[in-house]
Every structure is written in structure tokens, then in C-alpha cells.
Amino acid sequence: MKGSTRFFTIGLVAAWYSSNIGVLLLNKYLLSNYGFKYPIFLTMCHMIACSLFSYVAIAWLKVVPLQTIRSRVQFFKISALSFIFCVSVVFGNVSLRYLPVSFNQAIGATTPFFTAVFAYLMTFKREAWLTYLTLVPVVTGVIIASGGEPSFHLFGFIICIAATAARALKSVLQGILLSSEGEKLNSMNLLLYMAPMAVFFLLPATLIMEKNVIGITVALARDDVKIIWYLLFNSALAYFVNLTNFLVTKHTSALTLQFVLS
């Protein structure tokens, strides 16, 4: 059983890693190379897809039993997770407009550092001293790389750091929601509730900050219908990324996830 569990976890990590790279590259292509400069709308498309696929998987296909939200406190925790998740993804997408993918990923390597800090602040959980020591060269390396990066952009760097910190905070809070006995939700139900809340946060931001994005997207589709297929495929892949991310966190821990994926 232990061997099977180990291979299952490795498979989840591989699935998350490959799909995450796919979404990252496609986001970079759309936001930078293709010229579709609407990161908030793109993130909202991701969350709409997550809402629809989660509902189909649970309500229609009965992949897992439907779990209900048990308390107001649990509702606010999921809302906070949704908001933090929106910040991490939107900021990450914005940073791709200013930084190359390689440098973006290098900054993302500091996620374990932020995860360890937030895990201690929120759960008072201390890792082994060796774990903390391994974070020092990672953070130092990113600082050195930032100074020598020819494509360095200060605003993009700050936004990417903020996205990394938000991603770490989301992982810690996500781990709490998935493991707390009184408020335990399986990964698919958590995504089912989280995604529509994220759409609720993103919709007004899109309307205010990215005006007429729907009309612009329709106009682009008339000239090049491939933009629709890009958005549909990207959104479906984003659902798979989030699902496997939750599953890996459930079967390991927030800090382990960030160490493996950084």
C-alpha cells in the first residue's frame, strides 16, 4: 500500500507539474506574444471553467459525494482562499507581461520560503532546522539572479513576488481546509465552492479595469477564431492544474508541495 501511495503521489505531482507548465506557457503566449493583454479576464475564464467542470464532475458524474458548507466560519475561510487565489493568479499573469517565463519561475522558487513563514504564523508548525537551512541558498540565488537578469523589470518583479507570497499563503490555508477534522472538504468540493466565489471577485475587477474586454475578444475572434480555442483549452487546462494542485496538497503538505514544484 505504501508503494502504491508513493507512486500515486508521484503521478499527481507529474500531472500538476506538466499541466502547470502548459498553462504558464500558454498564458505567456496570450498575454505577451499574442497581445491579449487582459490578465484579469483570462483568470476569470479559468475560474468559470473550474466552476462548470467541478459541477459536472460532482453533480452529474458523481465522481465524489457532494459536501455542504457547515458553518459561516467555513464559508469565510473558503472566501478568503478564493480571494487569495485570485490575487496570486492575476498577479502571476500580470508579471508574465513584463518578465520572461524563466525568470518568473526562478522567482517562484522562493515559494517554499513564504510557505514556511506562513505555516509557522498560522499553525505554529515548525519544520526541521535543516529544512530552513535549505531555503537560504534558494532565496540567495534568486536575489543574485535578479541583479544579473538582463530583462529585469522592477514592477514585474514586485508583482511576481506578491504573486509568489499569495500562492504560498493559499497553499497553507488550503492545507488547513483540507485537513481540519471539523471543516474537512475533499479537493473537488473545495474547488466547486471556491471557483464561483473567485468569479464573484473577478467580475467587477474585469469590468472596471479591463473595460469592453468582451467586445474586444469578439472582435479578435472575427479576425482569428483561434483565440476562442486558445481560451477554451487554456481554461480547461487551468481546471486540471487546480484539481491536481489540491490533490497533491491533500496527499502531502503545503511546504512539501512547494519544495517539489519549485
Side-chain angles (χ1 to χ4, degrees), residues 110-127 131-132 135 168-169 172 254-255 258-259:
T110 61
T111 307
F113 167 76
F114 290 106
T115 304
V117 171
F118 287 129
Y120 177 74
L121 293 176
M122 297 179 68
T123 66
F124 301 104
K125 179 183 178 181
R126 289 186 177 181
E127 303 291 338
T131 301
Y132 292 116
L135 297 174
L169 179 59
V172 174
L255 186 58
Q258 301 306 336
F259 265 120

Side-chain angles (χ1 to χ4, degrees), residues 115 166-176 245 249 254 257-258:
T115 304
R167 186 163 55 246
L169 179 59
K170 184 212 68 170
S171 294
V172 174
L173 182 58
Q174 176 181 305
I176 294 172
N245 180 281
T249 302
L257 172 67
Q258 301 306 336

Side-chain angles (χ1 to χ4, degrees), residues 38-45 90 93-94 202 205-206 209-210:
Y38 304 100
I40 302 176
F41 175 74
L42 183 62
T43 306
M44 189 175 72
C45 289
V90 171
N93 286 341
V94 170
L202 291 167
T206 301
M209 302 176 68
E210 298 178 346

Side-chain angles (χ1 to χ4, degrees), residues 180-198:
S180 175
E181 287 299 326
E183 301 173 341
K184 183 179 292 185
L185 288 173
N186 64 53
S187 56
M188 296 188 71
N189 275 274
L190 180 58
L191 186 58
L192 173 67
Y193 291 117
M194 192 193 76
M197 293 180 186

Side-chain angles (χ1 to χ4, degrees), residues 22-122:
V23 168
L24 184 66
L25 292 175
L26 189 51
N27 285 350
K28 176 65 176 179
Y29 174 76
L30 287 171
L31 295 169
S32 183
N33 301 86
Y34 192 87
F36 188 79
K37 300 180 180 181
Y38 304 100
I40 302 176
F41 175 74
L42 183 62
T43 306
M44 189 175 72
C45 289
H46 293 175
M47 290 300 96
I48 291 173
C50 288
S51 301
L52 294 175
F53 283 124
S54 296
Y55 181 79
V56 170
I58 295 175
W60 291 2
L61 301 180
K62 309 292 183 182
V63 175
V64 296
L66 175 66
Q67 295 176 294
T68 58
I69 297 178
R70 302 176 185 178
S71 66
R72 185 176 299 178
V73 173
Q74 186 183 26
F75 174 82
F76 283 121
K77 284 184 178 180
I78 298 174
S79 299
L81 177 61
S82 300
F83 180 77
I84 295 167
F85 176 74
C86 290
V87 171
S88 68
V89 176
V90 171
F91 279 22
N93 286 341
V94 170
S95 69
L96 288 173
R97 293 178 56 185
Y98 302 96
L99 302 175
V101 173
S102 57
F103 188 45
N104 185 285
Q105 288 294 88
I107 297 173
T110 61
T111 307
F113 167 76
F114 290 106
T115 304
V117 171
F118 287 129
Y120 177 74
L121 293 176
M122 297 179 68

